[in-house]
Amino acid sequence: MATLTSATLQVYIYEGLEGSFSEPQYTLFKEKLSFQEDILFEVSELVRDFITHDFNNDYLSTVKWVSTVATLLDENGGELAGSPVTQSYLTKDGFGDFEDEINPQLSTDLLQSNDIIYLPDNTEGKIPVFAEGVGSVVIDGSTTTVADNGNSNQKIQYLTIPANGTSIIVKDKSNTTIRTLAVKRVCEPKYTPYKVTFVNKEGAYQDIWFFKRSDERLTVVDTKFKTNTINETDVTFPTNKPQEQRDNVNAKKGLVLNTGFLNESFNTVIEQLILSENVWVRYKGRTLPVTVKDRSLDYK
């Protein structure tokens, strides 16, 4: 009886409808070691290279289809019965915690961990949902149906919280309530609130507002070189020319933001913000990429 000894895996990463692939992005080959029963391929980092985040306050789905075609070979190089094996998956740029163990299953309905949302008065918000697991969202009694046509650009949808919205009910395809969210409105007459958007654990864009005091900080780096200021024509020493000249001057601007008091359930949101590799701040009418400088979090 023929036994599995090696396998070739073709990996297709694409947008659109499931199965609409042509050329593979990767072709991998692996032999089975003598003490192994299966052949394992780790493709997550390879797939992640094809998920890009070009956020400009537009909240678009970044989901990709991944299809794999595995050709199973025996010791003579012949294909085993049932080969090739084709499988398709939806992939998001999320992550799991250590406690989630290997290949954790990310959320298939509401794509955020917090049940409380803080928004400024008279300001709209967004909630990310996974269309395959959510049938409708009820905001202050008004129902929005979540439709999915199978296209990857429909899988993550961002529903608008109205400027006066206060309560949200998320339901599945059978109209059963999954999560109930509360929107807390914050009146901030003294400081200018800033909206920060980041890619959260579920691979979706999530907003968090910073309501309290903010400080801008400018950091400048440069190099310097010595110059010869002597005028060789008349052998004079002009005092208006510098002996030390600045060169390659660059500056970085930073923002120190404060949220104000939040429910302790927001610890998880702040944690995901610090861990996120993709973060933006809405600043003076522009969406600007930022790097989070904090490297620690004290849990209150």
Side-chain angles (χ1 to χ4, degrees), residues 54-75:
D54 190 21
F55 180 76
N56 192 17
N57 209 39
D58 43 8
Y59 299 94
L60 302 177
S61 175
T62 56
V63 170
K64 302 280 188 180
W65 283 106
V66 176
S67 292
T68 58
V69 180
T71 303
L72 311 178
L73 305 174
D74 60 22
E75 62 273 12

Side-chain angles (χ1 to χ4, degrees), residues 5 11 26 35 102 126 143 184 186 201 229 279 282 294:
T5 59
V11 183
Y26 300 99
F35 59 85
I102 192 170
K126 296 286 186 179
T143 301
K184 293 186 179 296
V186 178
K201 175 182 178 180
T229 60
V279 185
R282 192 68 179 168
D294 280 344

Side-chain angles (χ1 to χ4, degrees), residues 93-297:
D93 190 17
F95 65 89
D97 295 326
F98 175 79
E99 297 85 354
D100 297 332
E101 301 182 358
I102 192 170
N103 292 332
Q105 176 64 50
L106 300 181
S107 175
T108 56
D109 40 67
L110 180 65
L111 301 181
Q112 66 179 47
S113 60
N114 51 299
D115 291 333
I116 298 176
I117 300 173
Y118 293 90
L119 289 176
D121 281 341
N122 304 314
T123 301
E124 294 183 344
K126 296 286 186 179
I127 57 169
V129 298
F130 196 61
E132 287 193 353
V134 175
S136 63
V137 176
V138 182
I139 303 178
D140 290 345
S142 178
T143 301
T144 299
T145 301
V146 178
D148 175 19
N149 61 11
N151 196 304
S152 59
N153 63 12
Q154 291 288 307
K155 295 303 179 179
I156 296 181
Q157 298 184 24
Y158 297 88
L159 305 185
T160 299
I161 304 172
N164 59 350
T166 57
S167 67
I168 303 169
I169 300 174
V170 181
K171 299 185 177 183
D172 62 16
K173 299 297 184 182
S174 61
N175 204 36
T176 301
T177 297
I178 304 171
R179 299 269 293 276
T180 299
L181 312 179
V183 181
K184 293 186 179 296
R185 295 290 173 175
V186 178
C187 175
E188 181 47 65
K190 183 176 181 180
Y191 300 107
T192 300
Y194 286 95
K195 183 183 73 170
V196 172
T197 304
F198 64 98
V199 178
N200 66 13
K201 175 182 178 180
E202 307 297 340
Y205 298 124
Q206 182 172 349
D207 297 333
I208 178 172
W209 284 85
F210 291 80
F211 294 97
K212 294 302 180 180
R213 174 178 170 175
S214 61
D215 297 298
E216 293 187 36
R217 182 177 299 162
L218 185 70
T219 303
V220 178
V221 294
D222 61 11
T223 58
K224 298 177 182 178
F225 63 92
K226 295 286 188 178
T227 61
N228 183 5
T229 60
I230 296 176
N231 191 330
E232 297 181 356
T233 303
D234 55 6
V235 194
T236 58
F237 185 79
T239 58
N240 66 312
K241 292 184 178 180
Q243 288 185 311
E244 190 173 71
Q245 181 65 49
R246 297 179 76 192
D247 183 40
N248 195 26
V249 180
N250 290 283
K252 290 184 178 180
K253 182 176 286 188
L255 276 174
V256 179
L257 302 176
N258 292 279
T259 61
F261 288 106
L262 301 174
N263 185 280
E264 66 178 12
S265 63
F266 247 72
N267 283 339
T268 304
V269 180
I270 301 297
E271 177 183 302
Q272 293 177 27
L273 170 62
I274 294 176
L275 288 169
S276 182
E277 296 178 0
N278 299 276
V279 185
W280 300 263
V281 63
R282 192 68 179 168
Y283 181 76
K284 295 183 179 179
R286 294 176 179 269
T287 302
L288 303 178
V290 296
T291 301
V292 179
K293 298 296 289 292
D294 280 344
R295 292 294 183 268
S296 63
L297 173 64

Side-chain angles (χ1 to χ4, degrees), residues 47-59:
V47 173
R48 195 166 185 244
D49 288 341
F50 288 83
I51 300 179
T52 57
H53 297 284
D54 190 21
F55 180 76
N56 192 17
N57 209 39
D58 43 8
Y59 299 94

